[in-house]
């Protein structure tokens, strides 16, 4: 799980914190730039948010004929995670398997079957990887463990690094070729030790897991140096690669700037858009330079909340 939290008031921004004038100006400049950047819009439909009595257990929206985003309903689990299915010519990548209560494999199987039919193919290998190894992203792993023609990537940093060929984990960004579609695998330990992001140059999207999304970005205080280094590395990557949208693993914010839902909320009315602009990477980088050593003292931004939590082992 990602951590505990009650709804955070926007009035607590920078409260009780000594921040130098230079840092304050930096934060203000980044925040202003982020406010000027419009939120991207990639999805035609409104995401399921728990407010409909007949809401399905999952919802799928396509970014193109080879890229699908799956949302698990908040009615099945308050985490309501997003999962990503990305096809290449030679293999298909599933990022995350959902939280407890989800029925993800039948959805994935149908999407693969439909893709095979549309492409007049008989089979395609499936690789099941993870944005990180917390329970709300790996709970569905068991359903894929004995699936034919399927590889389930391990959950420890060494296993993730070995599978993707990152010999210099976490400092090495490596390619992962799906066949005519080469993704970049970006190690981002900080929220959790095995966290990674996936960048797709075809659609110019960054799949950012729990490291950056419209919600509470939980960072164990003992992982702060790792998180800062990861976001510095990400910002350097982003400077040289076009990013149309950052797509994370949850939505925990409302459309009101800086306002989130209470922890374990059963519904998400007036939900923030899943897509974040690339500017939020720089905003997060700047925000992480503030003192964040005290657990449960969040830093509130319009589109996310940096939330330090007690030290963890993983």
């Amino acid at each position: 799980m990602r951590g505990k939290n009650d709804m955070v008031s926007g009035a607590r921004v920078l409260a009780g914190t000594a921040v130098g004038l230079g840092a304050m100006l930096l934060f203000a400049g980044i925040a202003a730039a982020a406010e000027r950047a419009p939120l991207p819009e990639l999805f035609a439909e409104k995401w399921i948010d728990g407010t409909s009595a007949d809401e399905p257990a999952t919802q799928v929206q396509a970014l193109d004929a080879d890229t699908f985003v799956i949302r698990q309903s908040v009615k099945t689990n308050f985490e309501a995670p997003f999962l990503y299915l990305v096809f290449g010519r030679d293999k298909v990548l599933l990022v995350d398997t959902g939280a407890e209560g989800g029925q993800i494999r039948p959805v994935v199987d149908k999407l693969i079957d439909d893709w095979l039919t549309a492409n007049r193919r008989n089979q395609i290998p499936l690789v099941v990887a993870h944005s990180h190894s917390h329970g709300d992203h790996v709970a569905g792993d068991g359903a894929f463990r004995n699936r034919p023609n399927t590889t389930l990537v391990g959950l420890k940093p060494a296993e993730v690094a070995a599978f993707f060929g990152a010999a210099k984990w976490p400092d090495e960004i490596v390619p992962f070729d799906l066949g005519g579609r080469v993704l970049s695998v970006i190690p981002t330990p900080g929220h959790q030790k095995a966290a990674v992001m996936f960048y797709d140059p075809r659609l110019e999207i960054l799949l950012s897991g729990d490291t950056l999304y419209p919600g509470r970005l939980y960072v164990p205080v003992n992982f702060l140096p790792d998180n800062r280094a990861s976001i510095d590395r990400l910002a350097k990557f982003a400077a040289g690669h076009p990013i149309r949208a950052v797509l994370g693993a949850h939505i925990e914010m409302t459309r009101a700037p800086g306002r989130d839902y209470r922890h374990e909320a059963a519904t998400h009315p007036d939900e923030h858009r899943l897509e974040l602009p690339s500017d939020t990477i720089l905003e997060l980088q700047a925000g992480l330079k503030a003192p964040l050593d005290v657990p449960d003292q969040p830093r509130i931004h319009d589109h996310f909340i940096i939330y330090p939590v007690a030290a963890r082992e993983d």
Side-chain angles (χ1 to χ4, degrees):
M1 306 304 288
R2 288 172 291 126
K4 62 179 182 177
N5 179 53
D6 295 323
M7 191 161 78
V8 184
S9 168
R12 293 171 60 188
V13 183
L14 302 179
T17 304
V19 181
L21 178 58
M24 291 179 68
L25 292 173
L26 175 62
F27 300 153
I30 294 295
E35 289 175 1
R36 290 193 299 270
L39 289 175
E41 186 170 3
L42 301 183
F43 303 102
E45 300 176 15
K46 177 178 178 290
W47 286 108
I48 53 175
D49 58 9
T51 59
S52 174
D54 57 353
E55 179 171 297
T58 57
Q59 179 186 6
V60 178
Q61 295 200 60
L63 288 172
D64 66 8
D66 301 317
T67 315
F68 301 88
V69 184
I70 306 165
R71 190 183 201 180
Q72 183 177 337
S73 170
V74 69
K75 289 180 176 292
T76 68
N77 191 289
F78 73 89
E79 299 281 10
F82 289 85
L83 300 77
Y84 298 89
L85 191 68
V86 183
F87 286 86
R89 182 183 60 246
D90 301 330
K91 57 177 72 80
V92 53
L93 172 69
L94 174 65
V95 181
D96 292 343
T97 61
E100 291 288 346
Q103 297 294 324
I104 300 304
R105 179 171 166 183
V107 178
V108 171
D109 284 347
K110 185 177 188 310
L111 287 169
I112 292 175
D113 287 345
D114 289 348
W115 186 92
L116 290 172
T117 298
N119 288 273
R120 300 181 181 180
R121 298 272 298 275
N122 293 321
Q123 61 178 352
I124 186 169
L126 171 65
V127 174
V128 179
H130 309 87
S131 60
H132 62 294
S133 66
H134 286 162
D136 52 318
H137 301 270
V138 306
D141 279 14
F144 292 91
R145 190 157 283 117
N146 296 317
R147 185 184 185 277
N149 209 17
T150 299
T151 300
L152 188 63
V153 180
L155 301 179
K156 296 180 180 179
E159 294 171 323
V160 176
F163 179 82
F164 289 111
K168 298 179 181 178
W169 176 279
D171 299 316
E172 184 179 12
I173 296 172
V174 294
F176 183 58
D177 192 353
L178 298 175
R181 189 175 192 178
V182 181
L183 308 181
S184 293
V185 182
I186 308 170
T188 52
H191 171 71
Q192 192 272 334
K193 289 182 178 180
V196 296
M197 293 185 183
F198 297 90
Y199 172 72
D200 174 30
R202 178 196 292 184
L203 297 183
E204 298 180 354
I205 55 173
L206 179 70
L207 308 183
S208 55
D210 277 12
T211 301
L212 179 55
Y213 65 96
R216 297 178 292 273
L217 310 182
Y218 295 109
V219 186
V221 292
N222 55 320
F223 293 168
L224 275 167
D226 291 336
N227 200 338
R228 288 168 174 144
S230 290
I231 302 307
D232 286 346
R233 186 165 51 250
L234 175 64
K236 183 177 180 180
F237 176 87
H241 296 79
I243 297 176
R244 181 183 178 192
V246 178
L247 301 177
H250 304 275
I251 301 175
E252 295 170 346
M253 305 290 285
T254 71
R255 289 182 181 270
R259 189 168 181 83
D260 61 345
Y261 300 102
R262 64 173 177 80
H263 185 56
E264 300 190 19
T267 61
H268 287 189
D270 195 32
E271 195 174 57
H272 192 289
R273 195 174 293 166
L274 173 63
E275 307 96 302
L276 291 174
S278 61
D279 306 65
T280 53
I281 296 171
L282 294 179
E283 186 177 357
L284 176 58
Q285 183 185 35
L288 286 169
K289 296 184 185 303
L292 293 163
D293 302 299
V294 180
D296 302 321
Q297 293 295 317
R299 299 281 180 143
I300 301 171
H301 296 249
D302 282 356
H303 302 305
F304 60 82
I305 298 171
I306 304 174
Y307 206 105
V309 295
R312 296 176 179 168
E313 293 185 4
D314 194 15

